[in-house]
Amino acid sequence: GILNLNIIERSSGVTVPARIEVLGSDGEGYVAEDALLTGGDCSVDKDSQFYHLDNIQSRKTKSLKNRFTRTTQFYSTGLSTVELPQGIATIKVFKGPEYRVSQSDINIVAGKTTKHTITLTRLANMQAKGWYSADDHLHISRPARILDPLISKIMQAEDIHVANLLQIGKSDYFASSPQYAHGKNGIYKEGIYILSPGQENPRTHLLGHTITLGAEQALHNPEEYLLYKLLWKEAADMGAINGYAHFGNALGASFGLPVVLPHGLMSFVEVLQANWSDYSTWYEMLNLGFRITPTAGTDYPCVTNLPGHERFYTRVEDPFTYNNWLEGVRNGRTFVTTGPLLEFSVNGKDIGDDVKLNKPGTVIVEGKATFNPQTDNLLGLEIMENGELVKSFSATDDSGVINFKFEHRVEKNSW
């Protein structure tokens, strides 16, 4: 039989892209005929030791293998047609951490077409509060503008509002996961979803892997490749921001970061990636007095997590534009997550703001974490000051919310 699916967003009533899993009565995963092309293979050339990343069109792959559920899934524009064996089929629909996972069973009748509408409901609406999600580390080849609508639909399916597509370099090669344009000419916006070019370059195992976002052109100088500071200065003069990938301590970063950090050209560091977090280097930089923003990215498809599995949210001033988003990152208005959504304030000041006291005194620390019990198991929260534990809060029920509010004495300059 045939299953016609329509995915509707409840609050708007419109059809929306999503990631879908359809299990037939035989327990096998089925992919829609009209599923979006996806993928981008990340393989290493044995001679050059460099990555080859095929673009989406060349692969013509429609199925996804989810490493966590070990099931076959696919991306849909919101309208999908699936051929299935007769019997009960199970459909699951995913759309990032702000939406509840929808699951339903449908009886497929042989030789018949069954129409089914699924309405997605929100767990939270972060953009209504000025927060927008991003993945800062996607290696999706985009050699032509014709790919923009397709890639955007995939990002919309994962509810990634800012997808940073990084062209990769090394000293003698800067053409992997290419972008058709850099700067404003390479930005594609569809509603509240943005595709933006960036670069993971310079990138060495000697001094670490760096990321530049928002540069008006691709930056690459083989003759001065190890002088990261020079490229970062050129990028900063364009209004771009620079940072370190892979926690700031992997693949040589522990040697390169101390060289460039004191020059005031570094804005962010990835602290969450590959289903792993490491805050140690970030804590050290904060304790030294550097205002460094935490970000997160998947390194997709070079790491097998799907886009946005590790993501970060940025508080953006109206209107929502790439430049305003970039400014939010620059000013530290972010939190990183693999699902739980954070609200946090000190004396009413939000993430990234300053609280100024005339003398040592007491502040009010308040916030909450909201998470989806269908997909997340958040055991508790820890509140840190200058890298030391201040308080911890455990989940008390299965409501999917942990609230906290307490008074705290501040004796000196702190984060």
Side-chain angles (χ1 to χ4, degrees):
I2 301 296
L3 174 64
N4 284 344
L5 276 177
N6 186 12
I7 311 302
I8 300 290
E9 205 273 341
R10 180 181 296 278
S11 60
S12 65
V14 301
T15 298
V16 293
R19 175 162 43 91
I20 299 176
E21 176 181 306
V22 179
L23 297 179
S25 58
D26 56 359
E28 295 295 320
Y30 287 82
V31 175
E33 299 171 9
D34 48 10
L36 294 170
L37 292 173
T38 187
D41 189 26
C42 187
S43 58
V44 179
D45 185 276
K46 292 182 179 179
D47 295 323
S48 67
Q49 289 297 301
F50 202 71
Y51 291 107
H52 289 298
L53 292 104
D54 301 328
N55 69 54
I56 288 172
Q57 275 192 324
S58 67
R59 290 200 72 207
K60 299 191 183 303
T61 301
K62 295 181 178 180
S63 65
L64 299 167
K65 295 295 183 182
N66 189 310
R67 65 175 292 198
F68 296 106
T69 62
R70 298 182 181 179
T71 53
T72 298
Q73 301 174 347
F74 63 90
Y75 286 123
S76 168
T77 61
L79 295 171
S80 293
T81 300
V82 192
E83 187 173 350
L84 292 163
Q86 65 177 343
I88 302 299
T90 300
I91 298 98
K92 293 182 180 179
V93 182
F94 307 82
K95 194 177 171 64
E98 294 182 47
Y99 287 88
R100 300 185 185 278
V101 177
S102 170
Q103 179 171 334
S104 52
D105 292 333
I106 305 298
N107 185 37
I108 303 300
V109 180
K112 302 290 185 181
T113 296
T114 301
K115 296 183 178 180
H116 183 57
T117 297
I118 291 175
T119 302
L120 296 179
T121 59
R122 282 187 173 274
L123 179 74
N125 189 344
M126 297 300 290
Q127 60 265 35
K129 302 175 182 178
W131 291 87
Y132 294 84
S133 65
D135 187 326
D136 77 348
H137 201 144
L138 295 160
H139 294 303
I140 299 176
S141 298
R142 193 174 54 135
R145 294 182 188 275
I146 194 173
L147 293 172
D148 280 340
L150 169 59
I151 298 172
S152 180
K153 289 294 188 298
I154 293 172
M155 298 302 114
Q156 291 174 46
E158 297 289 0
D159 204 31
I160 300 169
H161 294 104
V162 183
N164 295 280
L165 311 181
L166 306 185
Q167 189 165 319
I168 308 179
K170 66 174 188 175
S171 60
D172 59 350
Y173 189 82
F174 183 36
S176 191
S177 58
Q179 304 300 304
Y180 62 77
H182 287 257
K184 60 179 178 296
N185 290 330
I187 291 177
Y188 176 79
K189 191 169 187 285
E190 194 172 307
I192 55 171
Y193 296 93
I194 295 172
L195 304 180
S196 179
Q199 63 183 68
E200 187 178 353
N201 187 58
R203 175 184 167 277
T204 70
H205 285 13
L206 178 66
L207 299 176
H209 295 195
T210 70
I211 295 174
T212 294
L213 304 175
E216 275 304 306
Q217 64 189 54
L219 300 173
H220 183 65
N221 190 340
E223 289 75 24
E224 299 173 335
Y225 198 74
L226 291 179
L227 302 177
Y228 286 14
K229 181 185 74 170
L230 298 182
L231 185 144
W232 276 17
K233 176 65 165 59
E234 188 176 358
D237 288 344
M238 297 178 183
I241 59 175
N242 306 296
Y244 259 89
H246 316 310
F247 318 110
N249 57 24
L251 303 172
S254 56
F255 299 106
L257 193 150
V259 177
V260 293
L261 180 62
H263 296 284
L265 300 171
M266 181 175 174
S267 295
F268 66 92
V269 61
E270 285 180 343
V271 297
L272 189 64
Q273 190 169 84
N275 209 40
W276 185 259
S277 61
D278 188 338
Y279 306 112
S280 57
T281 300
W282 178 46
Y283 282 6
E284 290 179 10
M285 290 188 285
L286 294 176
N287 282 341
L288 287 169
F290 294 99
R291 298 285 294 268
I292 304 298
T293 300
T295 66
T298 52
D299 204 356
Y300 171 88
C302 298
V303 174
T304 54
N305 288 351
L306 295 177
H309 181 268
E310 292 83 18
R311 66 180 66 197
F312 67 102
Y313 280 80
T314 306
R315 181 159 56 95
V316 181
E317 298 295 331
D318 286 335
F320 174 59
T321 64
Y322 184 73
N323 284 339
N324 284 350
W325 174 84
L326 208 65
E327 197 64 20
V329 179
R330 192 194 315 273
N331 291 323
R333 297 168 178 163
T334 72
F335 69 87
V336 304
T337 186
T338 53
L341 303 169
L342 181 67
E343 296 178 39
F344 183 74
S345 67
V346 178
N347 274 9
K349 296 286 189 177
D350 211 337
I351 295 170
D353 291 338
D354 288 330
V355 178
K356 296 183 179 180
L357 304 177
N358 293 326
K359 59 182 179 180
T362 299
V363 296
I364 302 297
V365 182
E366 186 174 9
K368 73 175 181 178
T370 304
F371 62 100
N372 187 348
Q374 293 175 285
T375 55
D376 297 314
N377 183 21
L378 186 61
L379 300 180
L381 302 173
E382 293 180 341
I383 314 299
M384 313 292 289
E385 180 186 22
N386 297 344
E388 301 295 331
L389 180 64
V390 170
K391 274 194 180 291
S392 59
F393 300 89
S394 300
T396 57
D397 52 39
D398 58 0
S399 65
V401 177
I402 301 177
N403 289 288
F404 61 91
K405 184 177 182 179
F406 62 94
E407 293 185 352
H408 177 66
R409 177 81 179 176
V410 176
E411 298 291 345
K412 59 183 180 181
N413 289 344
S414 302
W415 57 267

